[in-house]
Amino acid sequence: MAGEILPGPDDVILVDDIHKTYHLGEVSVKALRGMSLTVKKGDFLIVTGRNGSGKSTLMHQLGLLDSPDDGHIYLSGKEVTGMREKDRSEIRLRDLGYIFQEFALIAELTALENVMLPTMMIEKTEVCREKAREMLAQVGLQEQTTHLPSQLSGGEQQKVAIARSLMNEPDVLFADEPTANLDLESAQDVLLVFDRLNKEEKHTIVMVTHEHEETIYGNRIITLSDGKISYEENHV
Amino acid sequence: MKTSKRIPFFLIVRHVRHSNKGTLALIVFLMAIAFINLLFINSLFSGVVESNQSQLINTRTGNVMITPAKGSDFIDNPAAVVKAVDKVPGVQAAAAETLLPGSIEFGGTRGNFDVTAIDPTTQEKATTVSQKMTAGSYLKPGDTNGIILGDSIAGKKENDTDFAPNGIKVGDTVNVITDSTSHPFVVRGVFKTKFNGTDDRAFVTNAALNQIAPALQGKATDVVVRADHRGNEDKLVAEMKAAGVTGNLRTWQQLAGSVREITSSFVTINALMTVVGFFIAAVTIFIIIYVDVTHRRQEVGILRAIGVRSPLVVMTYVLQAAVYSFLGVAMGTVLYFAIIFPYFKAFPFKIPIGDVSLSIIPWDYLFRAFTVVAVGMLSGLIPALIGTRRPILDDILNR
């Protein structure tokens, strides 16, 4: 199609001119107004901006939790806009990991069970259990495997969520303000986990934050304003 | 089992293990109450019907009643008939009865009541009248001037114009009038079966019959046959016929008459109450499960967000509702059969037509148990379907 941008071989994410408008009664809020961006393999992209700038809306489109009204999104070379829910679910399961600000753990499952859950769609229980133990060890929670979320601190819960997001070896990790509900020390802990995952394990990460000091972890920073990228910066 | 199909079972086990025990217990208890309500209404009406039919069989007709063949007024040689019937497998006892034409006179007033001559020994085995004495004693064989009266004859009446308005006591003398001749009898006892067709009868012995109506000696108007158990009456009739028993052989169902009407009325009321009960139970269960699943919509969103496919999410909540319902049925069954059922067996409802305890047919129990589980699953299905059709973010963010 004329004018359509296609992803290159190193592009994990390609966003091409997406729009999203929310209708709240009679009021329409244009959350994204023609957003375009590319994320390459191994990038640690920080998305920042004021409240209402469209950061979370962008993450929801990229994480396939919502659909744009217009434009195209490619994940790992596949166009995901217009996909059936069944296929989107499959991509959420296998190709991407999503970390919520509110942790989004299932209260009745232990740390180990929360982590192994997505992989149970694919692997046998014993394999899932072993892998989940490894992932929890990677985020430093090898001693808390049998704890319920209510028995863990905020930082620990977020680490469980990170471990869960890594279980199916996703192409990209999305983290939507992962430190917003954490104290300073826990936030630092979680950020170091992301840093290690990016630098040592070469994971591609897209993280939303409105804390300026957290931008130092990314190699690229985009600042959103009124649903568009207003500023972009690359760190060496 | 396909790997992903284990997820609902995995989640249900963890849910039961880790969820708030108080909430879980309350949900299961409410389900149990809904189930017990369904069982109780049915059991009560079944109990009324059962009580009424038992009274008919135990105190009046037996399981099978033999009456004279067409064209005959009496069964000749009833002793031989009783002997032949007794030999038929499945027969517990048989007793011949001879209805005396006449009436009873007491205190200057006359009442048209059936006076029946019996052999107290065989009658005691064939009916339970002897166990229903409320005053005095049952007849003894050879008693030539003793009579026992049903409560409808001997009991106190509300209207002064009724027969024996102040009642008849043990030791009083009543006159049995046959062929315009008055025969005095001393009241030996009063019985109360709470079955109208029996409580308006009076019994004398065959020895007395021989004195007041010698022409009827060796004749009977019917033979009451009691079976080992209820339900095989047609087979019993066939076997008696095959054994050479003649006469008009009819089962208690064929003789039911007013009992059939009462039964039919109660069956209709039961059906109506059951429908209402099902509706109330369905609504109750639906609300319980709906509230529970709706309360956990964030979990629905999380499962979908991490890639658990919607049909599996739906299956999780449907199975969870089935578990609640099953536990409710189990708890209801235990409460019902360990406490409620034995209690009403020991302390039956005292109602004018008889003492009614609860009665449940296995099929009715299974049907109600199945319905509760099915309604429970449906109640889980609807909110789960709604949940998986909503935007994921709405579920996760509870908006």
Side-chain angles (χ1 to χ4, degrees):
Chain A
M1 196 189 294
E4 189 179 328
I5 303 165
L6 294 172
D10 282 345
D11 294 344
V12 179
I13 301 168
L14 175 71
V15 176
D16 178 21
D17 193 29
I18 60 167
H19 295 255
K20 182 73 186 178
T21 302
Y22 290 114
H23 302 280
L24 307 165
E26 291 187 359
V27 181
S28 295
V29 179
K30 289 189 174 180
L32 297 176
R33 304 165 187 241
M35 169 87 66
S36 296
L37 72 94
T38 309
V39 180
K40 297 206 178 294
K41 199 170 180 183
D43 269 355
F44 191 156
L45 175 71
I46 303 281
V47 181
T48 188
R50 290 169 184 238
N51 282 343
S53 60
K55 306 185 296 288
S56 288
T57 304
L58 172 66
M59 290 296 270
H60 295 156
Q61 316 308 308
L62 298 180
L64 307 191
L65 302 176
D66 201 359
S67 301
D69 301 327
D70 200 6
H72 303 272
I73 299 173
Y74 295 85
L75 286 176
S76 304
K78 286 175 278 190
E79 179 163 11
V80 294
T81 33
M83 257 186 182
R84 291 180 310 166
E85 176 52 29
K86 189 183 166 192
D87 299 323
R88 290 161 67 87
S89 179
E90 195 66 16
I91 290 174
R92 284 197 298 269
L93 176 71
R94 292 175 188 272
D95 298 339
L96 60 90
Y98 203 100
I99 297 136
F100 293 86
Q101 182 180 325
E102 304 84 2
F103 322 133
L105 298 177
I106 293 178
E108 290 144 4
L109 301 184
T110 63
L112 187 78
E113 289 162 350
N114 262 294
V115 174
M116 62 193 278
L117 189 60
T119 310
M120 286 185 70
M121 293 284 293
I122 305 164
E123 301 273 13
K124 288 184 176 171
T125 309
E126 272 321 299
V127 176
C128 301
R129 206 181 297 278
E130 271 320 297
K131 205 168 174 185
R133 276 186 215 286
E134 281 171 31
M135 290 299 161
L136 282 169
Q138 268 198 40
V139 294
L141 292 178
Q142 58 274 29
E143 302 297 324
Q144 285 91 345
T145 54
T146 57
H147 288 42
L148 292 171
S150 59
Q151 297 166 323
L152 297 170
S153 69
E156 287 170 331
Q157 288 188 56
Q158 197 56 291
K159 285 181 185 175
V160 172
I162 294 169
R164 179 179 66 188
S165 71
L166 293 169
M167 277 294 278
N168 290 339
E169 294 158 26
D171 295 338
V172 58
L173 280 183
F174 296 103
D176 188 2
E177 301 197 42
T179 60
N181 290 333
L182 303 180
D183 58 55
L184 211 57
E185 196 182 336
S186 301
Q188 187 67 19
D189 248 14
V190 166
L191 290 167
L192 287 173
V193 170
F194 282 121
D195 192 46
R196 187 178 53 74
L197 287 171
N198 176 249
K199 291 202 168 69
E200 294 174 20
E201 316 260 337
K202 307 297 177 200
H203 279 285
T204 307
I205 300 172
V206 178
M207 184 175 91
V208 166
T209 181
H210 57 243
E211 302 293 339
H212 182 70
E213 52 273 31
E214 292 182 0
T215 59
I216 58 161
Y217 292 96
N219 67 320
R220 286 176 62 203
I221 302 151
I222 57 171
T223 305
L224 304 191
S225 178
D226 289 333
K228 284 180 179 173
I229 298 172
S230 61
Y231 180 73
E232 184 162 358
E233 181 183 352
N234 288 329
H235 285 179
V236 178
Chain B
M1 191 187 292
K2 201 181 164 193
T3 312
S4 57
K5 294 277 192 304
R6 287 167 313 164
I7 286 183
F9 297 97
F10 176 83
L11 289 171
I12 289 158
V13 170
R14 270 72 188 173
H15 172 68
V16 172
R17 197 183 290 166
H18 295 304
S19 64
N20 184 307
K21 295 290 178 290
T23 309
L24 182 66
L26 182 67
I27 291 171
V28 171
F29 180 71
L30 290 173
M31 302 285 281
I33 295 295
F35 178 57
I36 287 172
N37 180 49
L38 273 182
L39 277 186
F40 188 80
I41 292 168
N42 179 258
S43 300
L44 184 61
F45 282 104
S46 296
V48 171
V49 170
E50 161 72 24
S51 166
N52 218 239
Q53 291 175 346
S54 293
Q55 283 172 323
L56 174 75
I57 294 167
N58 294 339
T59 69
R60 191 69 182 88
T61 64
N63 297 78
V64 175
M65 183 176 253
I66 305 168
T67 49
K70 214 171 182 183
S72 304
D73 292 331
F74 298 100
I75 297 167
D76 293 323
N77 198 1
V81 174
V82 168
K83 202 173 172 186
V85 168
D86 270 339
K87 286 180 184 166
V88 174
V91 170
Q92 183 185 297
E97 297 180 334
T98 309
L99 184 64
L100 279 166
S103 56
I104 295 174
E105 188 264 337
F106 179 75
T109 56
R110 215 186 255 200
N112 287 321
F113 298 105
D114 285 351
V115 178
T116 306
I118 55 168
D119 171 1
T121 311
T122 54
Q123 190 77 10
E124 205 168 1
K125 292 174 190 163
T127 75
T128 58
V129 173
S130 62
Q131 299 160 28
K132 305 288 180 185
M133 303 305 294
T134 55
S137 59
Y138 193 59
L139 290 169
K140 289 187 172 56
D143 186 345
T144 53
N145 68 339
I147 190 168
I148 57 170
L149 304 174
D151 188 65
S152 299
I153 304 171
K156 285 187 179 173
K157 318 291 188 305
E158 285 179 6
N159 297 321
D160 288 346
T161 51
D162 287 339
F163 177 76
N166 297 320
I168 304 171
K169 295 179 190 63
V170 172
D172 286 347
T173 298
V174 297
N175 292 314
V176 174
I177 297 163
T178 56
D179 295 333
S180 307
T181 311
S182 182
H183 306 279
F185 278 86
V186 177
V187 177
R188 306 280 187 228
V190 176
F191 59 87
K192 186 177 182 179
T193 64
K194 291 192 174 179
F195 183 66
N196 283 338
T198 302
D199 285 344
D200 59 4
R201 299 178 85 192
F203 293 101
V204 296
T205 65
N206 283 337
L209 174 74
N210 295 342
Q211 289 195 354
I212 64 173
L216 296 179
Q217 192 174 357
K219 295 177 188 297
T221 46
D222 63 72
V223 173
V224 172
V225 181
R226 278 298 291 280
D228 287 340
H229 60 273
R230 207 197 292 185
N232 63 345
E233 283 81 4
D234 289 332
K235 191 177 162 218
L236 205 60
V237 166
E239 285 181 3
M240 283 193 279
K241 283 182 178 170
V245 176
T246 56
N248 190 6
L249 281 69
R250 285 179 292 174
T251 64
W252 67 267
Q253 291 99 328
Q254 291 167 317
L255 294 159
S258 62
V259 170
R260 195 184 298 123
E261 284 171 22
I262 292 170
T263 302
S264 163
S265 302
F266 276 110
V267 165
T268 306
I269 296 169
N270 187 17
L272 288 171
M273 294 295 283
T274 300
V275 170
V276 173
F278 270 128
F279 184 73
I280 292 169
V283 170
T284 308
I285 293 164
F286 186 86
I287 291 170
I288 294 166
I289 300 288
Y290 190 92
V291 168
D292 182 68
V293 176
T294 306
H295 181 68
R296 298 168 63 202
R297 57 183 285 208
Q298 193 180 28
E299 199 176 293
V300 173
I302 294 169
L303 290 172
R304 292 172 66 203
I306 63 171
V308 177
R309 281 193 298 274
S310 292
L312 285 177
V313 176
V314 171
M315 192 175 157
T316 300
Y317 292 98
V318 170
L319 282 178
Q320 185 188 300
V323 169
Y324 284 157
S325 310
F326 182 79
L327 290 175
V329 166
M331 185 195 257
T333 301
V334 170
L335 290 175
Y336 190 77
F337 288 104
I339 299 170
I340 299 168
F341 200 84
Y343 177 82
F344 286 104
K345 199 89 181 164
F347 306 102
F349 293 103
K350 308 274 184 194
I351 61 172
I353 60 164
D355 293 349
V356 175
S357 54
L358 303 178
S359 170
I360 184 92
I361 300 163
W363 171 248
D364 280 345
Y365 166 79
L366 290 174
F367 178 66
R368 278 155 180 76
F370 172 80
T371 304
V372 165
V373 175
V375 168
M377 289 172 80
L378 188 69
S379 311
L381 175 70
I382 293 169
L385 278 177
I386 293 170
T388 53
R389 274 161 177 67
R390 267 192 303 252
I392 295 175
L393 283 171
D394 286 359
D395 277 339
I396 292 179
L397 303 175
N398 255 328
R399 63 187 186 191

